[in-house]
Amino acid sequence: MKKAKIELNLENLAYNFEKIREITGHGVNAIPVVKANAYDIGIYNVVDRLLRLDIPQTKYFVFALKEGIELRKMFPKLERIFVLNSIFDGDEKFFEQYSLTPVINNFEQLKLVSKTSIKDVVLQFNTGLNRNGFEVSQTKSVKEYIDNSKLNVLMIMSHFACADNIKNNVNDRQIENFRKISEFFPDKNILKGISASDGIVNFNLSDFCNTCRPGKILYGYYEGFKDVISIKSNIRTDGINLYLPFGINNGIFTEYGNGDCYVLYNGVKIFIKEVLEDRTILDTQDKSLIEKEVVVLGGSLNLKTFLDNLGMGSMEPIARLLSNCDIDTAGFS
């Protein structure tokens, strides 16, 4: 038996993405991140809807090679599929066969791709996050290698470390570093982007970017954007308590049982009594509710509250919660 059912409002997804295009001015070069099966929401659902916009979105980021292959098989005519996890020895034939574009983080990867028939690459630079990418000091050497190897740079990218805190001086240093890197790549056809979701809402990206990588913002989370996800579940009983079949192990936080939070049954609030490792206990003994379907994410719990209470800025907790869910897009197109 499934723990829960997720309903997707794909019209809200389309609304959110069009809003991203509008506020950034990036148009089709606002390139969605659909890694991890679009955070277990369903990559087919997300990409299919964005392809049906008035101006179809035909470029996407995935994380791993396997994801890129699967996405290409689903949608053979996509313009670009960028692989964030880059290219490694033995991957070459798959990148070539499925027309995937690697994100290059170091000289080892750069040398590898230069020996293949792959000509288009994305270059990632470390401007301050200290995770992946060439160092700023390597920019000149990278540019010289690119020129000598006849590779074609489609994009240079980086990632904010503190974009959720606009007053943090680290942001200023990263923007300055990114500007310095960009000077080595003056071609206006090269996409330049440093920002994912937090940066989209907190910075005027057009000052130093012409692309961005929306992730969680696609699904709601920020003020002015619409929640795409509604989670429903059936009430169960262990003979003593009425409960929902997921808890701490699935990403539900213990504070959800503070007495103020609730799920909805036909618009009526059913309050939460306690959150255990594998279940969420309801504060009711009404046995007529057993097997009734209630709204979980969409009651007192919305996407922003869920992620913020976990202290996490990504969508991975949603994937954890939905690890054993049905996905239903009925009624949404």
Side-chain angles (χ1 to χ4, degrees), residues 248 252-262 271-276 279-283 300-301 309:
I248 297 169
I252 298 295
F253 44 93
T254 55
E255 288 82 3
Y256 192 43
N258 64 7
D260 295 327
C261 297
Y262 56 85
F271 285 89
I272 305 300
K273 182 177 181 181
E274 186 178 9
V275 180
L276 305 179
R279 61 191 59 192
T280 297
I281 308 297
L282 301 176
D283 192 12
S300 63
L301 185 62
N309 274 275

Side-chain angles (χ1 to χ4, degrees), residues 93-140:
K93 62 182 179 180
F94 299 107
F95 274 84
E96 294 166 347
Q97 179 180 351
Y98 293 99
S99 299
L100 306 176
T101 304
V103 175
I104 305 299
N105 297 288
N106 54 54
F107 273 105
E108 182 180 354
Q109 294 168 353
L110 193 56
K111 291 174 182 177
L112 174 62
V113 78
S114 68
K115 297 176 182 177
T116 72
S117 64
I118 301 167
K119 293 304 176 187
D120 296 333
V121 297
V122 173
L123 301 176
Q124 179 162 217
F125 288 85
N126 171 31
T127 57
L129 182 59
N130 297 322
R131 189 166 65 186
N132 291 318
F134 294 99
E135 297 302 321
V136 178
S137 60
Q138 295 178 299
T139 307
K140 183 178 179 181

Side-chain angles (χ1 to χ4, degrees), residues 214-225:
K216 64 185 179 183
I217 194 173
L218 281 173
Y219 309 103
Y221 187 80
Y222 297 94
E223 184 177 352
F225 290 82

Side-chain angles (χ1 to χ4, degrees), residues 40-104:
D40 267 359
I41 290 169
I43 192 170
Y44 183 90
N45 298 316
V46 172
V47 174
D48 177 68
R49 182 62 188 92
L50 296 183
L51 279 171
R52 291 187 284 111
L53 295 172
D54 289 341
I55 302 176
Q57 179 62 30
T58 60
K59 292 179 279 192
Y60 295 86
F61 279 99
V62 297
F63 177 73
L65 171 60
K66 181 180 178 181
E67 296 173 341
I69 293 172
E70 291 173 350
L71 183 56
R72 178 63 73 189
K73 288 180 177 179
M74 291 177 190
F75 301 99
K77 295 183 180 180
L78 286 180
E79 179 183 355
R80 290 284 174 186
I81 300 173
F82 301 105
V83 179
L84 290 164
N85 198 38
S86 195
I87 186 170
F88 298 92
D89 192 28
D91 292 346
E92 302 94 325
K93 62 182 179 180
F94 299 107
F95 274 84
E96 294 166 347
Q97 179 180 351
Y98 293 99
S99 299
L100 306 176
T101 304
V103 175
I104 305 299

Side-chain angles (χ1 to χ4, degrees), residues 168-186:
N168 195 309
N169 291 333
V170 172
N171 297 314
D172 296 329
R173 291 200 298 271
Q174 285 194 263
I175 292 171
E176 181 181 356
N177 284 334
F178 194 72
R179 290 185 191 276
K180 290 179 180 178
I181 295 165
S182 297
E183 290 175 357
F184 284 87
F185 301 90

Side-chain angles (χ1 to χ4, degrees), residues 18-26 200-201 204 217 225:
E18 292 284 31
K19 188 177 180 72
I20 293 165
R21 284 177 165 179
E22 179 183 352
I23 65 175
T24 63
H26 293 339
I200 289 171
V201 296
N204 185 1
I217 194 173
F225 290 82

